[in-house]
Amino acid sequence: MNPIILLQKMKNWIRSNPQELLKTPIYTIHSHEAKSQDSDKAGKFFTLNAPDWINVIAITEENEVIVISQYRHGTDEITLEIPGGASDPGEDPIESAKRELLEETGFISEEWESLGKTAVNPAIMTNYTHMFIAKNCKKVAEQQLDGLEEIDIEFISIQEFLQKIVKMEIDHSLILSAVAKWLIKEANLSRIM
Amino acid sequence: MNPIILLQKMKNWIRSNPQELLKTPIYTIHSHEAKSQDSDKAGKFFTLNAPDWINVIAITEENEVIVISQYRHGTDEITLEIPGGASDPGEDPIESAKRELLEETGFISEEWESLGKTAVNPAIMTNYTHMFIAKNCKKVAEQQLDGLEEIDIEFISIQEFLQKIVKMEIDHSLILSAVAKWLIKEANLSRIM
């Protein structure tokens, strides 16, 4: 099968009757009706609309990854993550990433690289997460946390960071997404291709 | 800092007043109030409750990755993904993965390996995605699609699969998460550690 022909063949569904059902501080839930152009399938669908998010694999001058721990309300547990957050309206993703890294950890970097963006969940969510790697990070300030944030900081070796992913002590899908992009960019993939 | 001491120090927030706000066919939205045990911070929080999901990096006997294209209602576009879906109530994740692979592609495998699970979004969602790699997949049936599914199948080399991730033609965070676990397991990471 030729993928180009295939992608041209399938068409977006046609939407109608959009409604806002619920507004929370970080997203809104909408519904709409949609009908396939390729068949007679049709139904009502729900989307979670949120601003784009960012996250940062931040590596210090000592070659350690900056990880943060915080209580998370979705899974009701203390998680180990990398710095991240939501873009403010009109803010470039790279500026959001620099701001969140500084606010959550007090660190800055002069070596930023984009790892691209990932669709958070194209089936039900509208937004993307822009992922970055920042190297040679250095501490210049204290944390400045938002109203409801409580964040502790740790520093672990890159090897320990990857081991914690294997052991599922770091398991947030958006962190794993950044790691996938980083590994494809910098690891030696000869064994698997 | 010692991560073990740190994780013991931070405590889960205490919840009260849970409410179900909205029910859709694939998730429900709940709210609750929560109060930190470590400070006087408190607020109202919203969670998206869904069953666990699964996905599969399925590699054929010809060493090609099975990718599927479908219209996605969240981002309103045709995406390229790997097979996946939701676990039925009481169903083991590995059985969900075998079922979804067969339903969506008509392929089976006798070589399944777990890639662990990822928290879909611990900040706002309750569920996990269980990720698998299935090797030497062979076709034994035709697609059997659910009511509203329209799915086309393609076969691409592992190299092309990874290139499509770099080019963001494959960009679903839960697929990138499976790829991260796969690369940590099988790639040569000496360059980055």
Side-chain angles (χ1 to χ4, degrees), chain A residues 15-165:
Chain A
R15 297 171 173 226
S16 61
N17 195 21
Q19 293 186 27
E20 182 180 301
L21 302 181
L22 178 70
K23 204 180 183 86
T24 83
I26 54 174
Y27 58 80
T28 56
I29 304 286
H30 295 243
S31 71
H32 63 268
E33 288 157 29
K35 186 182 174 333
S36 170
Q37 298 190 71
D38 299 315
S39 72
D40 59 0
K41 294 184 176 184
K44 184 175 181 180
F45 298 90
F46 299 83
T47 61
L48 188 158
N49 298 32
D52 279 2
W53 299 331
I54 61 86
N55 67 21
V56 189
I57 299 173
I59 300 175
T60 66
E61 291 175 308
E62 290 74 32
N63 219 30
E64 290 182 313
V65 182
I66 307 177
V67 291
I68 63 179
S69 59
Q70 61 192 314
Y71 172 70
R72 289 304 211 171
H73 295 268
T75 49
D76 189 21
E77 63 182 7
I78 311 293
T79 61
L80 211 55
E81 303 187 16
I82 61 176
S87 278
D88 288 334
E91 186 181 43
D92 268 353
I94 179 70
E95 296 308 320
S96 315
K98 290 178 178 176
R99 178 179 53 70
E100 288 285 354
L101 178 63
L102 181 60
E103 287 174 3
E104 293 188 345
T105 72
F107 279 70
I108 62 168
S109 167
E110 289 173 0
E111 294 176 43
W112 287 85
E113 286 174 69
S114 170
L115 295 170
K117 65 179 184 174
T118 180
V120 175
N121 192 324
I124 60 174
M125 298 175 66
T126 61
N127 68 331
Y128 290 81
T129 292
H130 303 260
M131 304 166 290
F132 298 90
I133 187 162
K135 292 180 180 170
N136 282 314
C137 295
K138 57 191 89 178
K139 186 155 193 213
V140 298
E142 296 306 314
Q143 277 184 327
Q144 292 180 293
L145 296 178
D146 288 346
L148 290 171
E149 283 181 334
E150 289 178 353
I151 291 177
D152 281 343
I153 303 171
E154 291 175 58
F155 304 90
I156 60 180
S157 70
I158 290 172
Q159 187 170 13
E160 200 180 350
F161 179 65
L162 296 175
Q163 279 167 353
K164 282 183 182 297
I165 290 173

Side-chain angles (χ1 to χ4, degrees), chain A residues 1 3 6 10 12 15 36 39 41 73-74 76 118-120 122 149-150 153-154 168 171 173 177 181 188, chain B residues 1 3 6 10 12 15 36 39 41 73-74 76 117-120 122 149-150 153-154 165 171 173 177 188:
Chain A
M1 273 184 285
L6 200 60
M10 214 172 221
N12 281 17
R15 297 171 173 226
S36 170
S39 72
K41 294 184 176 184
H73 295 268
D76 189 21
T118 180
V120 175
E149 283 181 334
E150 289 178 353
I153 303 171
E154 291 175 58
M168 295 184 274
D171 68 356
S173 72
S177 297
K181 299 299 288 259
N188 176 350
Chain B
M1 276 183 284
L6 199 59
M10 215 172 220
N12 282 17
R15 296 170 176 228
S36 170
S39 72
K41 294 184 177 184
H73 295 269
D76 189 20
K117 65 178 183 173
T118 180
V120 176
E149 283 181 334
E150 288 177 352
I153 303 171
E154 293 174 58
I165 290 173
D171 68 357
S173 71
S177 296
N188 176 349

Side-chain angles (χ1 to χ4, degrees), chain B residues 87-143:
Chain B
S87 278
D88 288 335
E91 186 181 45
D92 268 353
I94 179 69
E95 296 308 321
S96 314
K98 289 178 178 177
R99 178 179 53 71
E100 288 285 354
L101 179 62
L102 181 60
E103 286 174 4
E104 293 188 344
T105 72
F107 279 71
I108 63 168
S109 167
E110 290 173 358
E111 294 177 42
W112 287 85
E113 285 174 68
S114 170
L115 296 170
K117 65 178 183 173
T118 180
V120 176
N121 192 323
I124 59 173
M125 297 175 67
T126 61
N127 68 332
Y128 291 82
T129 293
H130 303 260
M131 303 165 291
F132 297 90
I133 186 161
K135 292 179 180 171
N136 282 314
C137 295
K138 57 192 88 179
K139 186 156 192 211
V140 297
E142 296 305 313
Q143 278 184 329

